[in-house]
Amino acid sequence: MARDWIIGFDADDTLWHNERVFRMTQEHVAALLSGHTGAADLAERLLAAERRNLGHYGYGVKGFMLSMIETAVEVTGEQVPSSVISEILAAGQEMLAHPIDLLPHAREAVEAAAERGRVVLLTKGDLLDQERKLAQSGLGDLFDDVRIVSEKTAQVYASAFGEGPALMVGNSLKSDVLPAIEAGHYGVHVPHDLTWALERADAPEDHPRFRRIADLGALPALIDALS
C-alpha cells in the first residue's frame, strides 16, 4: 500500500478493553443501591442520565460518574447516603487508574498498518484519561498522529484524513464506521463483546466501503486487499 493511504484506529474497545471496566463499576454501584432498585432499573435510569448529560459532560469516566451520582440521587428519592456517594467517587478514581489491557493482535495490527500507510489514532473522551491510556498502552510511538475529540462526525474524519484514501478501524458502528463512510472513506468494523448502548447502530451491510473483520489479526490482509 502506498504511503498516501491513511489507516485510522479507534482506541477504547478496539485497541484495549474499556467497556468492561464501566460494567464492573455499574455492577458494584447496583449492589450498593440494591435496597432501593434492581440492577435492570438502575441500568435503564443510568443510560437515560448518560444520554441527557452527553452534551454537558461528554464521554468518559468523569461524565459516567456524574451520571451515576445523579441516578443514585434519583432512585433513592434524594436520600442517597453519603457513604454511597463516597463509594461512587472512589470507584471513579479506580477506573481512572485501571491498568490497560490490550486486545488480541492490537500491537501487531498497528505495526502492520504503519508498514502500509500513515497511522492515526482517532478517539473521543476525556483528554487526560485518553492520554494516560495511550501512554500506558505502549502503542503511542507507533502513530503518526493522535487526535482526541469530543465527538466523531463526518467533518472530524474529513479533517483528520483529508481527501486521500483512508480507512477507519473501530468497534463502534455509530462513531467509527458510519461517519467515516459518510466522509468518503472505508469503515472497518471490529466487533467487541461489550458495546455501550449509545454506540450501537445498524450496520451498512450493502455499502461498498463497509468491511467487517472478526479481530485485528485480520486487518493486514484486508488492507492489502484494498490496495
Side-chain angles (χ1 to χ4, degrees):
M1 176 177 283
R3 288 291 298 182
D4 58 351
W5 272 77
I6 298 173
I7 303 101
F9 285 89
D10 171 52
D12 294 336
D13 293 321
T14 296
L15 296 177
W16 53 71
H17 288 286
N18 182 65
E19 180 63 18
R20 69 183 186 183
V21 180
F22 283 75
R23 298 288 180 94
M24 288 188 296
T25 301
Q26 186 171 324
E27 290 170 4
H28 174 60
V29 175
L32 293 175
L33 296 171
S34 59
H36 299 276
T37 188
D41 179 62
L42 179 71
E44 182 178 344
R45 295 193 189 203
L46 174 60
L47 184 63
E50 290 178 296
R51 184 178 283 110
R52 289 195 306 269
N53 292 332
L54 271 180
H56 301 294
Y57 307 144
Y59 297 89
V61 172
K62 296 172 186 176
F64 173 73
M65 301 316 296
L66 288 170
S67 291
M68 184 68 79
I69 291 171
E70 179 181 320
T71 303
V73 170
E74 178 184 327
V75 301
T76 61
E78 300 185 358
Q79 300 299 313
V80 58
S82 60
S83 60
V84 172
I85 299 296
S86 295
E87 287 266 12
I88 293 174
L89 292 173
Q93 292 171 349
E94 290 180 9
M95 292 176 72
L96 291 169
H98 197 278
I100 295 304
D101 183 13
L102 292 179
L103 281 155
H105 313 294
R107 169 168 285 277
E108 301 96 303
V110 179
E111 289 175 338
E115 294 174 355
R116 292 161 168 80
R118 184 169 178 268
V119 184
V120 177
L121 182 73
L122 182 52
T123 187
K124 65 185 180 183
D126 179 80
L127 176 63
L128 292 177
D129 191 32
Q130 293 299 80
E131 288 180 336
R132 173 193 68 85
K133 289 189 283 189
L134 178 59
Q136 291 186 5
S137 74
L139 302 178
D141 292 342
L142 299 177
F143 293 100
D144 297 298
D145 188 15
V146 174
R147 300 198 181 201
I148 301 171
V149 300
S150 59
E151 189 63 90
K152 290 178 177 177
T153 64
Q155 291 74 24
V156 167
Y157 286 107
S159 174
F161 297 163
E163 296 181 357
L167 58 89
M168 179 64 189
V169 183
N171 71 294
S172 172
L173 288 163
K174 176 180 177 292
S175 295
D176 302 321
V177 172
L178 294 177
I181 289 176
E182 183 182 348
H185 306 299
Y186 284 90
V188 181
H189 186 216
V190 190
H192 189 277
D193 291 342
L194 300 176
T195 300
W196 187 33
L198 298 186
E199 291 294 344
R200 295 172 188 164
D202 294 331
E205 299 288 355
D206 297 329
H207 199 286
R209 293 194 305 278
F210 173 66
R211 298 291 187 277
R212 180 185 290 111
I213 54 178
D215 57 49
L216 291 173
L219 183 62
L222 173 62
I223 297 173
D224 292 340
L226 293 175
S227 62

